[in-house]
Amino acid sequence: MMANNSPTANDIQTLLITLGYHNRRPPVSSTLFFAEATPPSSQQPILLNIYYTTRSIMTYLNHPTSGRRELWRSNAYESLEELASIVRNPRMHSGKGYRNKNKAVRGCVGCGMMKERVEFSGNQWRKGPDENRCLVCVEEVQSLRSSSSVANEEESDGDEGDDEVLIRNLQNLNLRNNNNNNIKKEETRDSDSFSTMTPTLTTDMLRQHDRTMNTTTTTTTTVTPPISTTYAAKSS
């Protein structure tokens, strides 16, 4: 929590612009990011990260012999005047800086808290103060991503299951329709066959019957003499 008399973000913005700095990126997690507007010739600009809730400062500057390096100050200022003194002379050692590698302190862009190096992974620490997240924040981000991924997979599985059920029902419906059509075709074919065979069978039977009747009639007429002739012969 900020003290009641601590400079606000707007106060710090106004001061840094007055001292020749500009915003190099939007604020993140109570952290303001500045870069030197007009660095000396052939030198890279000085970078400042000001964590206004903890009044801590990260200065990334050019060292005469060691090249570019970071200087961290925790609880570095209590007023705008103290902050202005540091910004005017960023190489000033106030006794609040951390120069021991293992005890180095850096702000997390996730939670905005100042934390020691051991509270960051090696990969996050190498990303630099503009991007690094502490172990706790990284774990929270991974947990959120995992939960989101599981939810998406479950939603996808549910949709695929519904599609499979729909496809199976359609296939069963088509199969039933095909079976019904086949049964109707068989019934029609049997009916046509019966209708075709019946007249032929009936005609043959009639013709055979006629021939049989004619033969019987002829035989009877030839063999059996008239009764009246036989009777007349016996009488004479």
Side-chain angles (χ1 to χ4, degrees), residues 136-169:
V136 175
C137 289
V138 169
E139 184 177 355
E140 290 178 353
V141 170
Q142 291 176 346
S143 177
L144 289 174
R145 288 177 179 173
S146 178
S147 299
S148 177
S149 176
V150 170
N152 290 335
E153 289 179 359
E154 290 178 350
E155 181 178 355
S156 176
D157 291 342
D159 293 340
E160 291 178 356
D162 293 340
D163 290 342
E164 290 176 356
V165 171
L166 178 61
I167 291 172
R168 186 166 57 253
N169 289 338

Side-chain angles (χ1 to χ4, degrees), residues 13 80 83 107 113 129 153 156 182 201 207 216 219 228:
Q13 293 270 11
L80 280 177
L83 177 59
M113 301 296 293
E153 289 179 359
S156 176
N182 291 334
L201 180 62
R207 289 176 180 175
T216 304
T219 303
S228 59

Side-chain angles (χ1 to χ4, degrees), residues 6 11 19 24 40 119 122 128 152 155 160-161 235:
S6 295
D11 294 336
L19 296 176
R24 72 178 191 273
E119 297 180 86
N152 290 335
E155 181 178 355
E160 291 178 356
S235 300

Side-chain angles (χ1 to χ4, degrees), residues 32-64:
L32 303 175
F33 304 90
F34 299 96
E36 192 177 16
T38 56
S41 178
S42 72
Q43 291 189 11
Q44 293 179 324
I46 296 173
L47 306 181
L48 293 175
N49 291 359
I50 301 178
Y51 305 86
Y52 57 87
T53 56
T54 59
R55 302 186 303 280
S56 301
I57 303 173
M58 186 284 295
T59 308
Y60 194 50
L61 44 72
N62 301 297
H63 191 273

Side-chain angles (χ1 to χ4, degrees), residues 78-139:
E78 296 293 338
S79 64
L80 280 177
E81 289 74 17
E82 288 184 331
L83 177 59
S85 298
I86 295 174
V87 174
R88 292 190 183 98
N89 185 11
R91 293 177 179 82
M92 176 183 67
H93 292 285
S94 62
K96 297 180 181 180
Y98 293 87
R99 287 177 285 177
N100 184 291
K101 179 178 179 180
N102 295 326
K103 293 293 184 179
V105 176
R106 177 181 288 180
C108 170
V109 298
C111 60
M113 301 296 293
M114 297 294 294
K115 297 189 176 184
E116 293 185 356
R117 182 168 184 172
V118 294
E119 297 180 86
F120 295 85
S121 68
N123 180 53
Q124 287 294 321
W125 187 265
R126 285 189 294 272
K127 288 184 177 181
D130 288 349
E131 298 182 14
N132 59 194
R133 294 177 182 271
C134 67
L135 294 171
V136 175
C137 289
V138 169
E139 184 177 355

